[in-house]
Amino acid sequence: MDFEKILSKIPDYKCFLTVDEMDENSKALAEEYPDKVKVFHAGNSRKGHPIYCLKIGNGSKNALMFGCPHPNEPMGAMTLEFFSRAIAEDDELREELDYTWYIIKSIDVDGTMLNEKWFKGPFTLYNYTRNFFRPVAYEQVEWTFPVEYKNYVFNNPIPETEILMKLINETKPSFMYSLHNAGFGGAYWYLSHDLKVIYDDLMATARKVNVPLHLGEPEVPYGEKFAPAIFKLIGFEDDYDYLEKYSKIPPEKLLNSGQSSDGYARTKCDCVCLVTELPYFYEARIESDKKMDFTRREAALEKLEFMEDTKKIVEKYYTQVCEYMSSDNPFSKNIEQSIEYSKGQNETERNYIENNEEYDELCKESEALDNLDIPKFYKLIYLGLLLRSVEYELMKDNVEGEKRAKLQDVFNSVDEELKEASQVAEDALDYNVIPIRKLVRIQLESGLLVASHIN
C-alpha cells in the first residue's frame, strides 16, 4: 500500500498537546464526522479524569492504539491526534485497511499532565528533565497487567490498565499499538511476531527522514534481536528468567509490577503487537560501527559505575528529606524504588556483563555513546525527579519552620546539581532535537506497515 498520501499531510508540529487539548479535539472530530467517528467515555483515571476512546470506521478487524502508556512519552499522542483525523477523512484508506480503530490518545492522563510543563518547549536537556515525570513501576499502565509466573503473582492493575484490559477483552484486536518513545538515541522497534518481510520497510521509515537507527546497546541485554534495531517484545517472563539466572536475590524480591499489554493481549486473542521507540534527542554516533580501543565490557562496566554513583548522590539528598515525603507524592515513589532495588539490579547486570562473551569484543562507537555519554542524560532524569519530589512538598501551605528550611536547603542543592550536570551533558552530547513531524511520520508509517501486513 502507498501511504505517502496520508504521510505527506502531517503538520509541522512545534509542540505537544495537553490532555485538555486532546480531549477537545477528540470531541470535535466526533461532532464533525458523526457517521464515522464515535467518542465514548472508557473510564476514569486514578484522580477521576475521564479517559476518552475514539471508535473510527467499521472494518472487519479491530485495532487498538493507545498513547502515553508512559506519560513522559507524548509522541504517540501526537501520532494518534493526526491519525484519528486522517483516517476519518480518508474513506479510501479506511476501507482498504479494513479495521475498526479504537484510539486512546493518552491512557495515563494524570501522569501526562505532570509532564505538560515541557510540552511547549524549549526542548533542551535541562527543561525536559526539570519537568519530567514517570510513575513508579507498580503505577505504570504498561506494566500493571495481571500475571502469574513461577514464584510470582501480581494482580493489582491500576484503573487505567483495567480500561485497556476491558477493551482487549471486548474487541480482541488483530493489531495493537502501544505508542512509546525513547528519550535519547535512535529509532528501534519491538514486535510480538517475527515479520521478516517488513523489516527493511520498517528501517526505511527512519532512514528516509534522516533519523538514525539505534545500533548501540539494546534497552535490555537479554532481548531477542530479529534484525538491526528490531527486537522481540519483552515480556514479564523474560525479566523474571533473567533475574533468576543472574541475580543472587530471588526475582520476586526485585520485582513489584506486572505483565505488559502485549503479554496480556496474547492470552486473550491472536494479536500482533508493535512498539516503535523514537528519541526526542539524537546523536549521529548512535549508528556508528567504528571500533574503539577498549572492549564493550569495559564501557558497560563504566556505565554501571556511573549510574551507581548517580544513585548514591540521589540517595544522599533523599535521605535528608525522606521523612517529609507524603504518601501522595508521585515523584518520591520512583526515587524510593530506585534506591531500594538499585543494588540488587546493578549486581545482576554486572554478573551478566562479566559472564557473557559478547562483551569481549572491541566496543563500537555506537555502544560507547550508549555506555559513556548517554548516561549523563539519564543522570538528569533522576536529579529532576528528586527535585520535583522536594518541590511537591514545598508547594504545600502547611510546610513551615525547620521542615521547610530543610526541604528548601535540599531543593537548592539538588537544583544546583541538576544545572551543573545539565552543562556536563550538553558538553558531552552533540545532539539534535528531532522535529515532531518526522517522528510522527515514522511512528505512523510503522503502524500502517504492520496493520496492512496483517491483512
Side-chain angles (χ1 to χ4, degrees):
M1 294 176 67
D2 181 13
F3 302 123
E4 190 57 38
K5 182 176 70 169
I6 184 174
L7 298 172
S8 64
K9 296 178 181 178
I10 298 171
D12 186 15
Y13 296 114
K14 299 301 183 184
C15 60
F16 298 97
L17 296 180
T18 65
V19 170
D20 288 344
E21 289 169 336
M22 288 187 280
D23 287 349
E24 290 171 9
N25 291 348
S26 293
K27 294 174 184 176
L29 185 67
E31 291 177 3
E32 189 174 349
Y33 296 96
D35 56 331
K36 302 170 187 175
V37 180
K38 307 295 181 187
V39 62
F40 62 91
H41 179 199
N44 291 328
S45 72
R46 280 158 288 169
K47 290 192 173 182
H49 191 286
I51 295 175
Y52 296 107
C53 182
L54 290 164
K55 180 183 178 183
I56 304 176
N58 190 29
S60 64
K61 295 174 294 299
N62 291 327
L64 173 60
M65 304 169 75
F66 50 94
C68 299
H70 292 132
N72 59 296
E73 302 174 0
M75 188 59 59
M78 300 304 293
T79 298
L80 296 178
E81 175 71 25
F82 169 74
F83 178 65
S84 57
R85 173 163 289 277
I87 200 69
E89 293 175 345
D90 194 326
D91 294 341
E92 182 180 352
L93 179 63
R94 192 175 62 255
E95 292 169 7
E96 190 172 2
L97 286 169
D98 193 27
Y99 283 93
T100 301
W101 301 91
Y102 292 85
I103 295 173
I104 297 178
K105 294 176 184 176
S106 174
I107 184 63
D108 186 352
V109 292
D110 297 341
T112 301
M113 290 178 179
L114 291 176
N115 279 280
E116 288 179 351
K117 284 186 178 180
W118 65 264
F119 279 11
K120 306 303 182 184
F123 298 110
T124 62
L125 301 186
Y126 175 79
N127 192 50
Y128 173 69
T129 54
R130 172 64 180 87
N131 297 292
F132 172 96
F133 171 71
R134 186 184 182 100
V136 68
Y138 57 81
E139 291 183 354
Q140 291 181 13
V141 179
E142 185 64 90
W143 288 104
T144 50
F145 289 82
V147 66
E148 292 186 26
Y149 185 66
K150 294 185 178 178
N151 296 323
Y152 187 84
V153 176
F154 180 92
N155 192 21
N156 190 29
I158 60 176
E160 295 86 342
T161 302
E162 291 180 327
I163 289 172
L164 292 181
M165 291 168 61
K166 186 172 186 289
L167 280 169
I168 291 169
N169 294 343
E170 292 178 351
T171 67
K172 294 185 167 40
S174 299
F175 173 55
M176 189 171 76
Y177 203 176
S178 178
L179 289 120
H180 291 255
N181 59 265
F184 205 113
Y188 59 105
W189 295 263
Y190 287 109
L191 274 162
S192 58
H193 295 62
D194 190 359
L195 307 179
K196 294 182 177 65
V197 70
I198 66 169
Y199 290 161
D200 286 343
D201 291 335
L202 279 179
M203 289 185 277
T205 64
R207 285 177 168 147
K208 62 191 173 188
V209 292
N210 298 315
V211 171
L213 301 182
H214 189 100
L215 300 181
E217 295 288 356
E219 191 171 357
V220 294
Y222 49 90
E224 179 183 344
K225 182 184 288 188
F226 287 151
I230 301 175
F231 303 88
K232 183 177 181 181
L233 268 163
I234 300 159
F236 176 87
E237 298 84 356
D238 301 308
D239 293 336
Y240 189 102
D241 291 345
Y242 163 73
L243 292 171
E244 187 176 49
K245 183 174 181 179
Y246 291 101
S247 176
K248 296 177 183 178
I249 303 171
E252 53 271 17
K253 293 187 176 181
L254 291 172
L255 296 165
N256 64 359
S257 56
Q259 180 62 281
S260 65
S261 57
D262 160 62
Y264 180 80
R266 286 200 311 266
T267 68
K268 301 298 178 181
C269 55
D270 183 15
C271 180
V272 176
C273 301
L274 170 68
V275 169
T276 303
E277 295 275 11
L278 300 168
Y280 304 115
F281 312 102
Y282 82 94
E283 253 224 49
R285 285 185 287 165
I286 201 64
E287 274 194 310
S288 173
D289 59 3
K290 173 186 173 182
K291 296 294 185 180
M292 312 302 286
D293 60 358
F294 47 85
T295 66
R296 183 183 172 198
R297 179 175 291 110
E298 289 174 300
L301 290 174
E302 187 170 334
K303 172 190 175 181
L304 206 55
E305 290 178 8
F306 179 86
M307 295 311 298
E308 286 172 348
D309 289 342
T310 296
K311 300 288 181 64
K312 289 176 183 176
I313 293 170
V314 170
E315 184 175 7
K316 178 188 73 173
Y317 288 115
Y318 188 74
T319 53
Q320 297 177 45
V321 293
C322 60
E323 62 180 302
Y324 304 135
M325 295 294 130
S326 55
S327 60
D328 66 341
N329 190 321
F331 308 101
S332 62
K333 294 177 183 179
N334 207 319
I335 297 296
E336 288 172 356
Q337 178 175 268
S338 174
I339 293 170
E340 181 179 356
Y341 292 104
S342 63
K343 185 176 180 181
Q345 291 168 340
N346 288 346
E347 288 178 354
T348 304
E349 188 171 352
R350 188 182 303 277
N351 189 24
Y352 183 92
I353 292 167
E354 290 177 343
N355 289 282
N356 278 272
E357 293 181 355
E358 68 226 54
Y359 289 90
D360 293 341
E361 300 176 0
L362 286 177
C363 193
K364 295 185 296 184
E365 188 173 29
S366 57
E367 294 165 340
L369 173 66
D370 243 340
N371 283 309
L372 304 180
D373 287 333
I374 290 181
K376 297 178 176 69
F377 165 75
Y378 287 105
K379 178 180 181 177
L380 307 183
I381 287 178
Y382 285 105
L383 290 172
L385 280 170
L386 176 59
L387 191 66
R388 294 194 75 182
S389 67
V390 178
E391 182 180 48
Y392 184 86
E393 301 301 335
L394 281 170
M395 291 175 66
K396 296 177 178 178
D397 293 334
N398 61 348
V399 176
E400 301 173 344
E402 183 181 344
K403 179 177 179 180
R404 175 167 289 279
K406 188 61 178 178
L407 285 166
Q408 189 65 58
D409 182 57
V410 170
F411 178 89
N412 293 341
S413 297
V414 176
D415 188 35
E416 189 62 31
E417 289 265 9
L418 178 60
K419 289 174 181 175
E420 291 178 2
S422 295
Q423 189 58 56
V424 170
E426 290 281 352
D427 293 341
L429 294 161
D430 184 20
Y431 69 91
N432 292 281
V433 179
I434 304 175
I436 297 173
R437 175 170 56 185
K438 285 188 177 184
L439 299 175
V440 169
R441 180 187 171 106
I442 297 168
Q443 203 166 52
L444 179 54
E445 187 174 8
S446 297
L448 292 173
L449 282 168
V450 174
S452 61
H453 174 76
I454 295 171
N455 280 342

